[in-house]
């Protein structure tokens, strides 16, 4: 096994005697630190951003040193020597960026190792508190494997940092060449990269790299935290019935995660239980900035209590789709899209019918095959056109163009 003994404790019976719902307690114990995990992600993003910001003055110095004289001479009708030096300096700049971003990535990996170990210890402590018998934790070799060889979003951390450095180098090189071709000086080129004070330095080309870096860090945090939990639950599968996918009950949850919220999976192989929607990459790893997690369910315990939701606590058993049905039209429109939300409110389509058996959201053309569009929905464009053909321009709509066949637009 890649896990090692942590502790043993016979706490399960005492909790049951006190009339406490263990699954509810475990879920609460895990989700309370979930907010802390978000703060950790924000902290690591800030640290990484500071590290990258410290590299920018060096980058700008390199640009001034290597390309200042070229900008003064101009590259139109440049000599073979100037052209060769331009190419050589761009290669050197890529090397500098690769080395600097690599160093920043290694610092990030060290911080992620600390986070992974803390998350594993916490998950183990939850089972120690509520379980009985020997509880297994992670050994150092598995920690290293998760950090260096387990991919997230298609690549391991090192490859993502390398990709970030390559993309940044391409943006810098493009800004330099564009500036030189336009006859700009190096100060103008640096300003294009860094941004302006009036724009709070958010209007520079490097802002894209900063956003990419933030997404990488946040995704890496979710990856290591949720992978650590998966390994702990799997190592202690004899104590558990299954694991439950848990999303966030608010309008920011994506459609991929919404359909999986509340679903059960086997502990070790993550096979669907009572449904056919695949686990795939798992909670926290389905897409960048994924906020989902998994919660273990102890043998013989039923899910009771409450869970957090936007607008106030709800029953612990409520899924995202059940929660969405209780939300105002604006929230439904934002999550589902206007057409699907109208179908839902018109009673023509259930939420579960908007996905196939494997969790893939059906396209509007596929929904049409289900004959849910047999009559135009009130308020839809098709409905407005039908009203117009009958000689009525619906309130809130206007006609534009000369021909009756042209489309209607909203006012």
């Amino acid at each position: 096994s890649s896990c090692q003994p942590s502790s043993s404790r016979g706490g399960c019976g005492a909790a049951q005697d006190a009339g406490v719902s263990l699954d509810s307690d475990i879920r609460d114990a895990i989700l309370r630190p979930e907010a802390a995990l978000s703060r950790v992600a924000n902290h690591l993003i800030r640290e990484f951003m500071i590290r990258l910001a410290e590299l920018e003055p060096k980058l700008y110095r390199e640009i001034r040193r290597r390309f200042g004289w070229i900008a003064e001479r101009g590259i139109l009708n440049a000599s073979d020597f100037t052209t060769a030096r331009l190419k050589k300096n761009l290669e050197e700049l890529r090397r500098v960026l690769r080395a600097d971003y690599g160093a920043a990535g290694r610092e990030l990996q060290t911080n992620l190792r600390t986070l992974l170990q803390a998350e594993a210890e916490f998950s183990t402590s939850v089972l120690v508190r509520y379980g009985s018998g020997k509880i297994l934790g992670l050994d150092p070799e598995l920690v290293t494997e998760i950090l260096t060889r387990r991919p997230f979003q298609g690549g391991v951390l090192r490859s993502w940092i390398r990709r970030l450095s390559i993309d940044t180098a391409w943006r810098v090189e493009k800004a330099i060449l564009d500036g030189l071709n336009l006859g700009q000086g190096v100060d103008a080129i640096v300003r294009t990269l860094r941004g302006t004070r009036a724009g709070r330095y958010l209007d520079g080309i490097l802002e894209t790299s900063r956003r990419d870096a933030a997404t990488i860090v946040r995704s890496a945090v979710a990856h290591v935290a949720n992978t650590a939990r998966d390994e702990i639950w799997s190592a202690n599968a004899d104590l558990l019935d299954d694991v439950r996918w848990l999303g966030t009950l608010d309008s920011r949850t994506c459609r991929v995660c919404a359909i999986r919220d509340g679903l059960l999976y086997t502990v070790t192989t993550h096979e669907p239980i009572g449904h056919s929607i695949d686990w795939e990459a798992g909670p926290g790893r389905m897409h960048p900035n994924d906020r989902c997690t998994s919660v273990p369910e102890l043998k013989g315990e039923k899910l009771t209590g409450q869970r957090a939701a936007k607008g106030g606590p709800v029953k612990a058993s409520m899924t995202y789709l059940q929660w969405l049905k209780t939300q105002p039209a604006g929230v439904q429109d934002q999550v589902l899209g206007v057409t699907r939300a109208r179908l839902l409110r018109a009673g023509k389509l259930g939420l579960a019918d908007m996905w196939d058996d494997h969790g893939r959201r059906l396209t509007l053309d596929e929904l049409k095959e289900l004959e849910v569009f047999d009559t135009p929905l009130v308020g839809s464009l098709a409905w407005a056109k039908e009203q117009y053909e009958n000689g009525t321009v619906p309130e809130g709509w206007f006609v534009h163009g000369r021909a009756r066949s042209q489309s209607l637009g909203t006012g």
Side-chain angles (χ1 to χ4, degrees), residues 207-229:
E207 179 62 20
T208 301
S209 293
R210 298 182 193 114
R211 290 197 300 268
D212 290 348
T215 297
I216 290 171
V217 176
R218 194 176 298 280
S219 297
V221 168
H223 164 67
V224 299
N226 283 283
T227 303
R229 290 180 183 182

Side-chain angles (χ1 to χ4, degrees), residues 117-164:
Q117 292 170 332
E119 185 64 35
E121 291 172 3
F122 169 75
S123 299
T124 302
S125 72
V126 171
L127 294 183
V128 168
R129 178 180 177 187
Y130 296 107
S132 60
K134 183 181 293 183
I135 309 296
L136 299 178
L138 299 188
D139 66 22
E141 290 184 4
L142 184 55
V143 170
T144 299
E145 178 188 329
I146 293 171
L147 282 172
T148 62
R149 296 191 292 277
R150 298 275 185 95
F152 63 96
Q153 305 303 322
V156 297
L157 178 63
R158 185 173 61 179
S159 67
W160 277 115
I161 298 300
R162 179 173 174 76
R163 180 77 256 171
L164 180 65

Side-chain angles (χ1 to χ4, degrees), residues 71-342:
E72 291 175 358
R73 294 186 181 187
I75 62 171
L76 296 178
N77 302 317
S79 66
D80 291 343
F81 172 77
T82 300
T83 302
R85 289 304 303 169
L86 174 63
K87 181 179 179 181
K88 181 67 175 177
N89 286 344
L90 289 172
E91 291 175 354
E92 285 295 314
L93 198 61
R94 285 194 292 270
R95 184 191 62 78
V96 169
L97 283 169
R98 185 165 59 249
D100 287 345
Y101 273 64
R106 287 189 291 275
E107 292 179 14
L108 173 62
Q109 182 169 296
T110 298
N111 290 333
L112 289 173
R113 178 182 292 274
T114 301
L115 170 64
L116 195 157
Q117 292 170 332
E119 185 64 35
E121 291 172 3
F122 169 75
S123 299
T124 302
S125 72
V126 171
L127 294 183
V128 168
R129 178 180 177 187
Y130 296 107
S132 60
K134 183 181 293 183
I135 309 296
L136 299 178
L138 299 188
D139 66 22
E141 290 184 4
L142 184 55
V143 170
T144 299
E145 178 188 329
I146 293 171
L147 282 172
T148 62
R149 296 191 292 277
R150 298 275 185 95
F152 63 96
Q153 305 303 322
V156 297
L157 178 63
R158 185 173 61 179
S159 67
W160 277 115
I161 298 300
R162 179 173 174 76
R163 180 77 256 171
L164 180 65
S165 73
I166 291 173
D167 290 346
T168 302
W170 178 84
R171 294 181 184 111
V172 170
E173 182 174 335
K174 185 176 184 301
I176 291 172
L177 292 177
D178 287 348
L180 292 176
N181 280 316
L182 292 172
Q184 293 179 345
V186 289
D187 288 341
I189 293 173
V190 167
R191 189 160 50 249
T192 299
L193 290 168
R194 182 177 56 189
T196 62
R197 179 179 297 179
R200 299 174 59 191
Y201 301 105
L202 300 176
D203 52 348
I205 289 177
L206 289 183
E207 179 62 20
T208 301
S209 293
R210 298 182 193 114
R211 290 197 300 268
D212 290 348
T215 297
I216 290 171
V217 176
R218 194 176 298 280
S219 297
V221 168
H223 164 67
V224 299
N226 283 283
T227 303
R229 290 180 183 182
D230 287 349
E231 292 294 341
I232 295 298
W233 308 153
S234 181
N236 297 282
D238 57 315
L239 300 177
L240 308 175
D241 271 335
D242 42 51
V243 292
R244 184 181 297 272
W245 191 298
L246 214 60
T248 305
L249 302 185
D250 64 22
S251 59
R252 293 167 52 205
T253 296
C254 75
R255 296 149 186 165
V256 171
C257 298
I259 189 63
R260 288 173 169 81
D261 177 64
L263 298 184
L264 298 176
Y265 295 86
T266 58
V267 178
T268 56
T269 59
H270 301 134
E271 296 297 322
I273 298 176
H275 60 91
S276 58
I277 298 178
D278 295 331
W279 176 270
E280 296 188 12
R285 292 150 293 185
M286 293 295 286
H287 55 79
N289 300 321
D290 187 351
R291 297 176 296 158
C292 294
T293 189
S294 63
V295 176
E297 302 206 340
L298 287 175
K299 290 184 179 296
E301 291 296 322
K302 293 183 178 180
L303 186 63
T304 61
Q306 294 181 318
R307 63 180 296 192
K310 183 178 180 180
V314 297
K315 288 184 178 180
S317 58
M318 177 174 280
T319 66
Y320 188 90
L321 298 187
Q322 292 169 341
W323 172 82
L324 187 59
K325 290 181 70 174
T326 68
Q327 297 305 296
V331 174
Q332 294 176 349
D333 290 348
Q334 181 180 350
V335 173
L336 298 174
V338 174
T339 300
R340 290 176 178 82
R342 283 177 174 165

